[in-house]
């Protein structure tokens, strides 16, 4: 075997390995720029995107729903070991987050032609839906850009970080909730919220983590080493915010 042929074969194996790594990294719907420090962006916001890497079991994606946990109805968990073990807290998101986490849409029709904001009970935008388009089932990646307002961790809290866990649905067929399954919808939602929108096999891949600025906002002395906080939508929020309405009519899931 010539040196040139050997190098060509070695390069081919390298490309194949890189392809496998990339496919594994992009196997789940996730957020671009998933880790930031609190309130440090130049304009008080963080630009990101919902990244859709594939369709539903061979079917194209025809719509998407994205919902951030709100500050009243969300489920709060704490952990001191990176969520290897955790406990559900009786506190609310507002106990750990002073402000922020609301979204703005960045205008883009690259994947879907229509979009609308989803707001919480007091009018703050916490999510969006997008439709009227198609992302092929494989070999394409869709990015839905959004802007997340800057987040301040409560100074008096013991949180080293706050991880927001959005609820995401990649819709591949319009159906009722009873017909959810492979090829119909990919749900990236918490497995234990207690809603029909729960995804039992999900392991929290799409997250937005805000790290405490320990230099300018150190932990109170009473906190010791502190802990990490994870916040995701409750069943009440999922049931309220995930369904999509157009012109006053619910179009997904089908009633």
């Amino acid at each position: 075997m010539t040196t040139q042929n050997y190098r060509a074969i070695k390069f081919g194996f390298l490309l194949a390995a890189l392809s496998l790594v990339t496919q594994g990294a992009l196997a789940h719907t996730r957020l671009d720029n998933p880790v930031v420090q609190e309130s440090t962006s130049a304009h008080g916001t963080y630009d990101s995107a919902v990244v859709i890497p594939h369709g539903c079991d061979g079917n194209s994606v025809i719509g998407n729903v994205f919902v951030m946990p709100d500050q009243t109805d969300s489920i709060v968990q704490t952990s001191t070991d990176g969520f290897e073990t955790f406990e559900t807290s009786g506190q609310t998101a507002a106990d750990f987050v002073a402000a922020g986490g609301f979204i703005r849409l960045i205008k883009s029709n690259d994947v879907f032609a229509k979009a609308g904001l989803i707001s919480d009970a007091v009018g703050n935008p916490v999510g969006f839906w997008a439709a009227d388009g198609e992302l092929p089932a494989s070999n394409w990646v869709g990015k839905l850009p959004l802007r997340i307002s800057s987040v301040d961790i409560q100074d008096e809290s013991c949180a080293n970080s706050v991880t927001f866990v959005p609820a995401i649905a990649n819709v591949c067929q319009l159906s009722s909730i009873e017909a959810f399954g492979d090829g119909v919808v990919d749900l990236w939602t918490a497995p234990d919220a207690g809603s029909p929108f729960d995804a039992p096999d999900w392991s929290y891949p799409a997250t937005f983590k805000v790290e405490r600025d320990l230099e300018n906002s150190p932990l109170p002395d009473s906190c010791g080493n502190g802990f990490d906080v994870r916040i995701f939508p409750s069943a009440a929020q999922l049931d309220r915010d995930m369904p999509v309405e157009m012109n006053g009519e619910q179009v997904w899931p089908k009633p």
Side-chain angles (χ1 to χ4, degrees):
M1 181 184 297
T2 67
T3 301
Q4 185 175 5
N5 287 339
Y6 172 77
R7 287 175 176 171
I9 293 172
K10 185 176 180 181
F11 183 65
F13 278 122
L14 176 61
L15 287 178
L18 287 173
S19 175
L20 288 173
V21 170
T22 302
Q23 291 173 20
L26 298 178
H28 300 305
T29 297
R30 58 184 177 81
L31 285 177
D32 266 349
N33 307 318
V35 182
V36 299
Q37 192 177 61
E38 61 171 329
S39 300
T40 57
S41 64
H43 303 290
T45 57
Y46 315 103
D47 284 357
S48 190
V50 180
V51 181
I52 307 173
H54 56 71
C56 315
D57 199 28
N59 290 330
S60 299
V61 179
I62 60 173
N64 177 271
V65 183
F66 173 91
V67 175
M68 289 280 279
D70 65 21
Q71 290 188 287
T72 55
D73 291 325
S74 48
I75 296 172
V76 178
Q77 297 176 336
T78 61
S79 173
T80 57
D81 58 7
F83 291 100
E84 291 295 326
T85 57
F86 59 85
E87 59 183 38
T88 299
S89 167
Q91 296 168 287
T92 69
D95 292 316
F96 298 103
V97 180
F102 306 122
I103 75 155
R104 298 291 186 272
L105 280 180
I106 298 173
K107 183 65 174 176
S108 172
N109 293 334
D110 289 342
V111 182
F112 301 112
K114 295 179 181 178
L117 287 170
I118 299 168
S119 297
D120 65 15
V122 295
N124 295 310
V126 294
F128 68 89
W129 58 263
D132 193 11
E134 182 179 9
L135 179 74
S138 58
N139 301 321
W140 291 79
V141 174
K143 286 193 174 185
L144 311 181
L146 72 156
R147 175 166 290 179
I148 303 174
S149 60
S150 60
V151 178
D152 292 320
I153 295 176
Q154 292 280 16
D155 290 339
E156 65 274 18
S157 80
C158 295
N160 287 312
S161 69
V162 175
T163 298
F164 295 91
V165 184
I168 304 174
N170 295 328
V171 180
C172 294
Q173 294 182 21
L174 294 179
S175 74
S176 65
I177 287 179
E178 292 75 18
F180 280 4
D182 294 343
V184 176
V185 61
D186 272 349
L187 288 170
W188 305 98
T189 54
D192 45 8
S195 165
F197 293 98
D198 287 1
D201 299 324
W202 195 59
S203 57
Y204 302 90
T207 57
F208 181 69
K209 182 178 182 179
V210 180
E211 296 178 332
R212 191 184 192 110
D213 182 356
L214 290 171
E215 181 177 349
N216 295 306
S217 179
L219 288 171
D221 291 339
S222 60
C223 292
N225 293 325
F227 49 77
D228 296 300
V229 176
R230 182 166 67 190
I231 303 172
F232 55 91
S234 66
Q237 186 185 359
L238 291 173
D239 295 346
R240 181 190 68 223
D241 293 342
M242 291 295 281
V244 176
E245 290 189 359
M246 292 184 184
N247 301 318
E249 179 182 356
Q250 183 171 311
V251 297
W252 181 85
K254 287 184 176 180

